[in-house]
Amino acid sequence: MSKARHGSLLALLAAVICAFGVAPAHAAEVPTLPGPPQSDAGAAISYAKHHPHSAPPGTNDFSCRPGPAHPHPVILVHGSDGSAYSNWAGLSPKLKAAGYCVFALNYGQKPGTEHYGMQTMTQGAAELEVFVDDVLSATGADEVDLIGHSQGATVARYYTNRLGGASKVNRWIGIASPSYGGTFFGIATALQTLPGGNELIVGIGSEALAEQVQGSPFLAALNAGGDTVPGVEYTTIGTRYDEVIQPYTNVTLHDPGATNILVQDLCPIDQTGHFNLPYDPFSQQLVLNTLDPTHTVVPPCMFVPLGTGIAGVIIASNF
């Protein structure tokens, strides 16, 4: 089956679902206030809290036109309770400097707050669908490359696999993707065994967080029949020291066409974790190499201590 044909069938399925009463998604926010580059997640989170609606450096220039070297616009999809800026203020300027047209959205906003990535992943994917169409229309491109961190990777994969996005997506890259969910050190899976446990997870975190727990109905449905679809190149980038996805092997996709990269297989002394992964120079170069396999650069393998960035993330998120 051709890529276009497969995409049209999935789009028809999505239209049928909508016809049976699924409410349309709210539009995602498109941040446009330029923010400075950041080298760690804590600093980015702190800046985003004090400067709402900031855009990662180099993103959301809708006058950008992709050139022949990089014909696909890159769309960055943030994680749970994150934002375009807090996740991507380190990688986005490197993508821009490499010659890509780069875009980023804030999706899944909790009403009355500046917290994003809080609604169901189905809603987040519907918001991404609209954003992808806007980017393609503005740039004149036929397809995009999607890069998601954590929840954002699954939101992007749901859009690609279930909302007909495969006909518009060239590459999908998941950074610390909860492809098969996490146990959150066993806490989440333990809560799920209790009466009302799932509702407790939603109350503490969000609906999207509950959907990311290992064995959730959402992930079971997304991965049923295969976790990829034809016509899209899938790559996961994970870490053995993931603080959220346990076991860390749940990041990997199972279909034979997918490429799964574990940072420590290539650089054992880099012990970066879940939150630091988008800011880790080694991992950032892996992303650039995946986007352009014909011009790869050997990433800088440097010692990264276990727990790097965690203190900064906790402080920035709570104070």
Side-chain angles (χ1 to χ4, degrees), residues 116 153 166 185 215 228 240 266 277 297 307:
Y116 301 95
F185 294 104
T228 67
R240 189 182 304 274
L266 303 176
L277 208 54
V297 175

Side-chain angles (χ1 to χ4, degrees), residues 58-126:
T59 63
N60 295 338
D61 174 8
F62 282 84
S63 67
C64 186
R65 297 294 178 267
H70 302 305
H72 306 117
V74 174
I75 295 180
L76 305 173
V77 191
H78 65 77
S80 301
D81 198 13
S83 69
Y85 185 86
S86 66
N87 262 184
W88 305 116
L91 180 61
S92 62
K94 296 184 178 183
L95 291 169
K96 186 68 174 180
Y100 292 93
C101 291
V102 190
F103 299 87
L105 74 165
N106 289 330
Y107 70 89
Q109 183 176 18
K110 184 176 182 179
T113 75
E114 296 294 339
H115 294 275
Y116 301 95
M118 301 293 283
Q119 303 297 330
T120 66
M121 286 193 277
T122 303
Q123 178 171 322

Side-chain angles (χ1 to χ4, degrees), residues 114-211:
E114 296 294 339
H115 294 275
Y116 301 95
M118 301 293 283
Q119 303 297 330
T120 66
M121 286 193 277
T122 303
Q123 178 171 322
E127 294 180 31
L128 175 61
E129 179 181 27
V130 174
F131 188 69
V132 169
D133 287 344
D134 289 344
V135 168
L136 291 177
S137 177
T139 61
D142 294 326
E143 295 178 315
V144 300
D145 289 330
L146 296 178
I147 304 174
H149 175 240
S150 194
Q151 180 195 153
T154 302
V155 165
R157 191 161 63 91
Y158 186 89
Y159 159 70
T160 303
N161 293 18
R162 294 290 182 261
L163 297 186
S167 63
K168 303 172 185 178
V169 175
N170 174 57
R171 286 188 176 90
W172 172 95
I173 301 174
I175 301 173
S177 169
S179 303
Y180 284 82
T183 66
F184 301 91
F185 294 104
I187 297 173
T189 48
L191 285 175
Q192 283 189 325
T193 64
L194 303 175
N198 196 68
E199 289 73 18
L200 183 58
I201 295 172
V202 172
I204 295 173
S206 65
E207 292 177 282
L209 184 64
E211 291 175 336

Side-chain angles (χ1 to χ4, degrees), residues 294-315:
T294 62
H295 297 89
T296 60
V297 175
V298 177
C301 181
M302 299 178 293
F303 175 61
V304 178
L306 190 65
T308 292
I310 290 296
V313 168
I314 293 173
I315 292 170

Side-chain angles (χ1 to χ4, degrees), residues 178-184 186 188-190 192 198 201 209-220 244-251:
S179 303
Y180 284 82
T183 66
F184 301 91
T189 48
Q192 283 189 325
N198 196 68
I201 295 172
L209 184 64
E211 291 175 336
Q212 294 172 76
V213 175
Q214 177 179 281
S216 75
F218 176 88
L219 290 176
V244 175
I245 311 301
Q246 296 96 32
Y248 69 88
T249 50
N250 278 4
V251 168

